[in-house]
Amino acid sequence: MTLPSPLFDPLRLPLVGAPLFIISQPALVIAQCKAGVVGSFPALNARPQSLLDEWLHEITEALAEHNRDHPDRPAAPFAVNQIVHRSNDRLEQDLATCEKWQVPITITSLGAREELNQAVHNWGGITLHDIINDRFARKAVEKGADGIIAVAAGAGGHAGVTSPFALVGEIREWFDGPLLLSGAIGTGKAILGAQAMGADLAYMGSAFIATEEAAATQGYKEGIVEGRAADIVYSDLFTGVHGNYLRGSIEQAGLDPDNLPQGDLKTMNFGSGGNQEKKAWKDIWGSGQGIGAVTAVESVADRVARLEAEYEEAKAELAAKQRDVA
C-alpha cells in the first residue's frame, strides 16, 4: 500500500466509512473505528457549531479507552469531513476545533484549498480530497492534498458518472499516493475489487446507513435494505450538485422521480443546510447503487465482520484461480 504509516496500521479491512450527512454521529464513528475501519463524519453534522468540540471529545476519549483496554487490537483512526464550498460559513471555526483535538484525517469536499491542507499538516494530520474526475484530482494534489477519493459512478450522495475502471486508471497514470475508491461498494469482494483496480482503500457509505448505530430513521434503514440499484435516482435538484438518492424518498416527498426539474448550482447552500422545502438528506435520502448487497439492519461490528469474511474468501478464491492458471 502507498498509505501513510503507522496511521493506517490498525485497519482490520482496507476500508473507510464515508461521512454521511446527518447520519454519521459519534456512536457510528466510534463503532466503525473499534471494528477496525476508519470512521468519519461531516463537521456540519454537529449543530450548533459548539457541539463539534463535544463530539470530538467523546470520540477521542472513547477510542483512547478502547486502545487502553485492547492494546493488541487498537482502534482505527477517524476522519472529519469539511465542506470547502464558499457557502459553509463555519469552516474556519470547525478547522480550529479540529486542530484542538488533533484530528488525524481530514476529508475535504466541494473545493480544494491550499491553506486548509497546510493547516491540517501543521497539526500532524493528513488530507484526503474527494473528486469525480481526473481534472479535479490533479487540482487537489497540486494544492497539497495527501490522497484522493475517487467518487465513481454509482456512489451514494454527491457522485460522478465515470466508470471506476476508467477513473482509477487515469489517476494511477500520474499519482502514486493514497487512492480511495467510492462507488457501489457493498461487499468484501467489492473491497478486494477496488484494490485490484489500483486503489489502496475502499470508501463505503450506504451499507453503514442500515446499521444499529447510524442516526438514520427506521424508514431510511429499511429503504436501504429493501432497495436495489434500480431504485437509485441521479439528480442535481436537491443541492445543486448531482447525487444519487432513493426513489422511494423522492416519491414520499410528493415528487416524480422520473420527471425532476434541473437544479441550480448557484443555490447550493451549506450554511443553512439546504435549499429545497424537502431537504437532502433529511427527507430525500442519499444512497449508492450497491445497496442490493445489504439484506438486514445489523450492528457495525457484525457488518464489518461479514465484510472481512467476504474479503478473505474472495482473496482465497482469487489465489485458487491464479494457481489454476499457472
Side-chain angles (χ1 to χ4, degrees):
M1 284 190 183
T2 52
L3 296 171
S5 183
L7 185 60
F8 291 94
D9 287 352
L11 263 62
R12 177 174 169 182
L13 271 174
L15 180 63
V16 172
L20 304 166
F21 199 59
I22 300 178
I23 294 166
S24 296
Q25 296 185 17
L28 178 58
V29 174
I30 291 167
Q32 290 171 322
C33 293
K34 286 183 177 180
V37 302
V38 175
S40 70
F41 71 97
L44 290 174
N45 278 8
R47 294 175 184 267
Q49 196 279 331
S50 59
L51 188 60
L52 180 60
D53 183 75
E54 297 178 25
W55 281 14
L56 290 175
H57 185 188
E58 179 181 353
I59 292 168
T60 301
E61 288 299 309
L63 297 185
E65 180 180 0
H66 172 86
N67 291 344
R68 288 193 297 269
D69 294 341
H70 304 87
D72 57 330
R73 195 160 189 165
F78 71 95
V80 174
N81 175 219
Q82 301 287 358
I83 301 296
V84 186
H85 189 264
R86 61 183 178 276
S87 67
N88 181 8
D89 53 9
R90 49 177 274 188
L91 177 60
E92 298 305 322
Q93 286 180 285
D94 287 345
L95 281 174
T97 305
C98 288
E99 180 179 12
K100 172 185 175 180
W101 291 100
Q102 304 285 283
V103 170
I105 305 170
T106 297
I107 297 170
T108 52
S109 306
L110 298 175
R113 281 175 46 179
E114 187 172 357
E115 64 273 21
L116 185 154
N117 290 322
Q118 188 57 57
V120 174
H121 293 159
N122 287 345
W123 77 60
I126 67 167
T127 59
L128 306 173
H129 186 70
D130 65 21
I131 56 87
I132 59 171
N133 58 45
D134 183 67
R135 180 169 64 90
F136 288 156
R138 292 176 184 269
K139 284 186 176 181
V141 173
E142 287 171 3
K143 293 187 177 182
D146 298 292
I148 296 297
I149 302 168
V151 185
H158 294 142
V161 296
T162 306
S163 161
F165 294 97
L167 188 54
V168 170
E170 289 182 358
I171 294 172
R172 276 300 186 219
E173 288 179 0
W174 58 271
F175 182 65
D176 62 358
L179 178 59
L180 290 70
L181 178 62
S182 171
I185 296 175
T187 66
K189 284 188 175 183
I191 295 172
L192 184 61
Q195 289 186 302
M197 277 189 278
D200 297 296
L201 299 168
Y203 197 70
M204 180 184 294
S206 300
F208 285 113
I209 296 172
T211 58
E212 295 167 1
E213 294 87 351
T217 65
Q218 189 61 29
Y220 193 172
K221 295 180 182 183
E222 291 173 358
I224 296 293
V225 172
E226 297 167 1
R228 309 286 289 178
D231 298 310
I232 305 304
V233 177
Y234 191 63
S235 173
D236 65 352
L237 172 63
F238 306 106
T239 67
V241 177
H242 274 96
N244 283 314
Y245 305 92
L246 277 174
R247 174 178 293 270
S249 68
I250 298 173
E251 293 172 340
Q252 290 172 20
L255 300 171
D256 181 357
D258 298 315
N259 293 284
L260 294 175
Q262 187 172 350
D264 186 353
L265 183 61
K266 295 178 182 178
T267 65
M268 191 192 308
N269 189 335
F270 289 95
S272 62
N275 317 302
Q276 306 293 321
E277 182 179 349
K278 294 296 183 180
K279 305 292 186 184
W281 319 89
K282 181 177 180 292
D283 305 297
I284 311 298
W285 298 332
S287 176
Q289 294 178 0
I291 55 174
V294 181
T295 59
V297 176
E298 57 189 347
S299 69
V300 167
D302 286 344
R303 177 131 301 155
V304 172
R306 187 185 308 276
L307 291 169
E308 183 180 28
E310 293 171 350
Y311 178 78
E312 294 299 333
E313 181 182 0
K315 284 202 301 183
E317 290 176 355
L318 180 60
K321 291 177 180 178
Q322 290 173 331
R323 287 194 298 270
D324 291 342
V325 172

